[in-house]
């Protein structure tokens, strides 16, 4: 009987080892423990043994059964673990990598910097959270100016500085004007300041966060014709040669005289259409730097003059590409962004 037990172990081991998939193992189980299986036949033979030999042989058969069951269990878990590994189909066609690109606002910023750098303007960066003094006070805006209204400007909870006042999220890039004068000290100044700005506004042409680019040029003998020439250079380079600008009288506290700058409409080329009504679209504000602002920056207004302008980047792009609603820029809809 001992030899038979050894033989059954050998045969069972061979069957278990040769199983390649779980189905093979199920078959091996039947061949070992099934109705006519190796173990079943072996166990039946126990009754043919003399009574005295039965307990010892019975124990051996039980040990054999346990060992075989253990082997089956191990093999089953190794086969199922292998089955759950991801299979790689090396014949499948490869997936093309999508190549992204800069957001259209970033593209416009890069282009704007390039155009103004050809005129000698250097890019500067000033705080987005700034003191009331730089955002308003130094720009000749009195304490009761409507731009300081809570509904227009985001105020930051901070200590009040005796000289600079409270802090705000800059509502425009003009906060860079006096900061740039303080940095350069002695003109000439040719600054381009591009930054995020914040106002409590939202509709087709307003977003609570938007970008402006601010130009500031200070030197001796600077006139409005320099300002107009600078705009024409920018618009022909940015929008194409068929677009021109015009200056329309306006009022800002920090420029005198002040203008709104219009560009000919891209849809009707200045003839007048539903979008622009009279052929012109507004781009931003501009003017000759107010003597009080030069003084705030400790620049002698009797010797130096300057011009400044501040345009919204989102609206400038919308005018180039005829986008009807600037809120699209920040909805992160890939179908919109992929078009640019
Ligand atoms: C100003 O912000 C002045 N600082 C511009 C300036 C600079 C004048 C230097 C003189 C000298 P204004 O509030 O008009 O001006 O804004 C300028 C431009 O910013 C607008 O024409 C528009 O293009 C853009 N803009 C203003 N508010 C928003 C907004 N909420 N969302 C998107 N663009 C805006």
């Amino acid at each position: 009987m001992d030899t038979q037990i050894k033989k059954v172990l050998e045969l069972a081991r061979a069957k278990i080892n040769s199983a390649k998939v779980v189905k093979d193992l199920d078959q091996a189980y039947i061949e070992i423990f099934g109705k006519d299986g190796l173990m079943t036949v072996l166990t039946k033979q126990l009754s043919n043994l003399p009574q005295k030999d039965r307990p010892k042989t019975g124990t051996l058969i039980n040990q054999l059964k346990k060992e075989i069951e253990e082997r089956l269990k191990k093999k089953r878990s190794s086969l199922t673990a292998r089955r759950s590994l991801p299979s790689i189909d090396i014949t499948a066609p490869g997936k093309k990598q999508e190549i992204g690109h800069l957001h259209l606002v970033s593209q416009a910023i890069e282009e704007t910097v390039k155009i103004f750098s050809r005129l000698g303007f250097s890019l500067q960066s000033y705080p987005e959270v700034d003191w009331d003094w730089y955002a308003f006070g130094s720009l000749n805006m009195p304490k009761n100016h409507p731009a300081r209204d809570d509904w227009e400007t985001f105020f930051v909870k901070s200590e009040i500085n005796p000289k600079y006042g409270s802090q705000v999220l800059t509502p425009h890039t003009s906060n860079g004007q006096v900061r740039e004068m303080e940095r350069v000290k002695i003109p000439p100044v040719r600054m381009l300041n591009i930054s995020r700005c914040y106002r409590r506004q939202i509709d087709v042409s307003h977003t609570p966060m938007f970008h402006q680019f601010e130009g500031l040029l200070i030197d001796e003998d600077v006139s409005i014709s320099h300002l107009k020439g600078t705009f024409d250079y920018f618009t022909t380079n940015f929008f194409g040669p068929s677009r021109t600008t015009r200056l329309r009288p306006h009022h800002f506290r920090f420029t005198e005289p002040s203008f709104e700058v219009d560009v000919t409409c891209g849809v009707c080329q200045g003839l007048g259409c539903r979008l622009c009504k009279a052929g012109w679209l507004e781009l931003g504000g501009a003017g000759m730097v107010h003597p009080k602002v030069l003084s705030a920056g400790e620049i002698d207004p009797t010797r130096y003059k300057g011009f400044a302008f501040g345009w919204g980047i989102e609206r400038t792009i919308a005018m180039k590409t005829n986008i009807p609603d600037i809120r699209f820029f920040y909805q992160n809809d890939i179908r919109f962004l992929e078009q640019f």
Side-chain angles (χ1 to χ4, degrees):
M1 194 76 181
D2 279 2
T3 355
Q4 267 176 298
I5 291 176
K6 270 189 197 148
K7 185 89 186 146
V8 167
L9 178 62
E10 242 169 59
L11 285 171
R13 215 189 268 163
K15 282 183 195 298
I16 296 168
N17 288 348
S18 66
K20 297 257 180 317
V21 288
V22 176
K23 216 172 152 196
D24 297 342
L25 205 62
D26 292 340
Q27 183 57 34
Y29 183 89
I30 294 169
E31 288 171 14
I32 300 167
F33 293 110
K35 207 167 134 242
D36 300 316
L38 298 168
M39 278 302 289
T40 321
V41 172
L42 187 70
T43 316
K44 276 182 189 161
Q45 287 177 17
L46 200 58
S47 56
N48 302 334
L49 288 182
Q51 191 67 36
K52 63 171 177 49
D53 294 339
R54 281 187 204 170
K56 193 183 149 225
T57 312
T59 313
L60 286 176
I61 290 177
N62 271 342
Q63 279 172 358
L64 174 67
K65 192 180 164 209
K66 263 191 199 151
E67 186 175 340
I68 293 174
E69 277 173 349
E70 200 53 42
R71 282 176 185 273
L72 277 166
K73 201 171 143 195
K74 265 195 195 154
K75 184 75 182 189
R76 187 171 292 275
S77 60
S78 89
L79 288 178
T80 40
R82 210 180 301 160
R83 198 175 46 177
S84 59
L85 285 177
S87 56
I88 299 168
D89 180 357
I90 54 163
T91 62
K95 271 192 196 153
K96 202 175 161 217
Q97 284 294 327
E98 295 285 336
I99 299 174
H101 61 74
L102 288 179
H103 189 279
L104 73 167
V105 170
S106 305
Q107 291 178 33
I109 289 175
E110 279 194 350
E111 202 180 339
T112 305
V113 173
K114 264 191 210 149
I115 296 170
F116 281 106
S117 69
R118 292 202 288 269
L119 294 177
F121 286 80
S122 72
L123 184 65
Q124 303 300 331
S125 180
Y126 288 114
E128 276 175 44
V129 182
D130 209 351
W131 297 107
D132 179 290
W133 167 251
Y134 289 110
F136 303 122
S138 66
L139 298 173
N140 192 30
M141 288 158 96
K143 285 271 178 249
N144 60 355
H145 193 275
R148 284 182 146 138
D149 193 289
D150 269 0
W151 295 103
E152 189 88 3
T153 301
F154 292 99
F155 285 85
V156 175
K157 272 189 190 155
S158 66
E159 278 179 31
I160 311 284
N161 181 293
K163 183 170 174 203
Y164 297 117
S166 55
Q167 290 194 320
V168 296
L169 299 188
T170 50
H172 57 179
T173 40
S174 301
N175 68 317
Q177 288 193 16
V178 167
R179 282 188 174 275
E180 178 70 356
M181 293 177 207
E182 287 172 350
R183 187 186 73 85
V184 176
K185 291 189 178 73
I186 301 165
V189 170
R190 280 190 194 190
M191 171 201 80
L192 186 70
N193 172 27
I194 303 187
S195 176
R196 277 179 285 261
C197 302
Y198 304 86
R199 293 185 195 180
R200 292 179 63 156
Q201 304 167 332
I202 188 154
D203 60 37
V204 287
S205 55
H206 295 88
T207 46
M209 187 287 298
F210 60 100
H211 295 75
Q212 277 190 349
F213 61 91
E214 180 97 4
L216 176 69
L217 185 143
I218 303 171
D219 209 336
E220 290 171 342
D221 300 324
V222 178
S223 72
I224 295 173
S225 52
H226 293 121
L227 173 68
K228 177 79 169 82
T230 305
F231 287 161
D232 284 339
Y233 184 80
F234 174 74
T235 42
T236 40
N237 279 278
F238 190 84
F239 294 106
S242 60
R243 314 277 290 267
T244 51
T245 56
R246 75 170 179 192
L247 302 180
R248 194 163 29 83
H250 193 68
H251 172 73
F252 291 105
R253 294 281 310 187
F254 37 98
T255 44
E256 183 56 40
S258 302
F259 310 99
E260 295 249 81
V261 186
D262 296 336
V263 65
T264 41
C265 172
V267 175
C268 62
Q269 302 302 326
L271 297 172
C273 67
R274 257 178 52 191
L275 176 72
C276 65
K277 314 274 183 314
W280 297 92
L281 291 163
E282 182 205 313
L283 273 178
M288 302 304 289
V289 181
H290 197 290
K292 283 190 178 167
V293 178
L294 290 172
S295 300
E298 294 186 5
I299 287 181
D300 180 2
T302 58
R303 179 167 175 198
Y304 294 105
K305 284 188 171 44
F307 66 73
F309 53 88
W311 294 5
I313 291 188
E314 288 79 359
R315 279 205 220 161
T316 309
I317 303 167
M319 280 168 208
K320 185 175 181 177
T321 45
N322 302 322
I323 294 167
D325 186 335
I326 66 164
R327 289 173 297 189
F328 289 153
F329 292 151
Y330 300 115
Q331 283 169 353
N332 273 347
D333 187 334
I334 205 87
R335 292 166 304 177
F336 169 75
L337 296 171
E338 269 173 356
Q339 296 173 51
F340 304 95

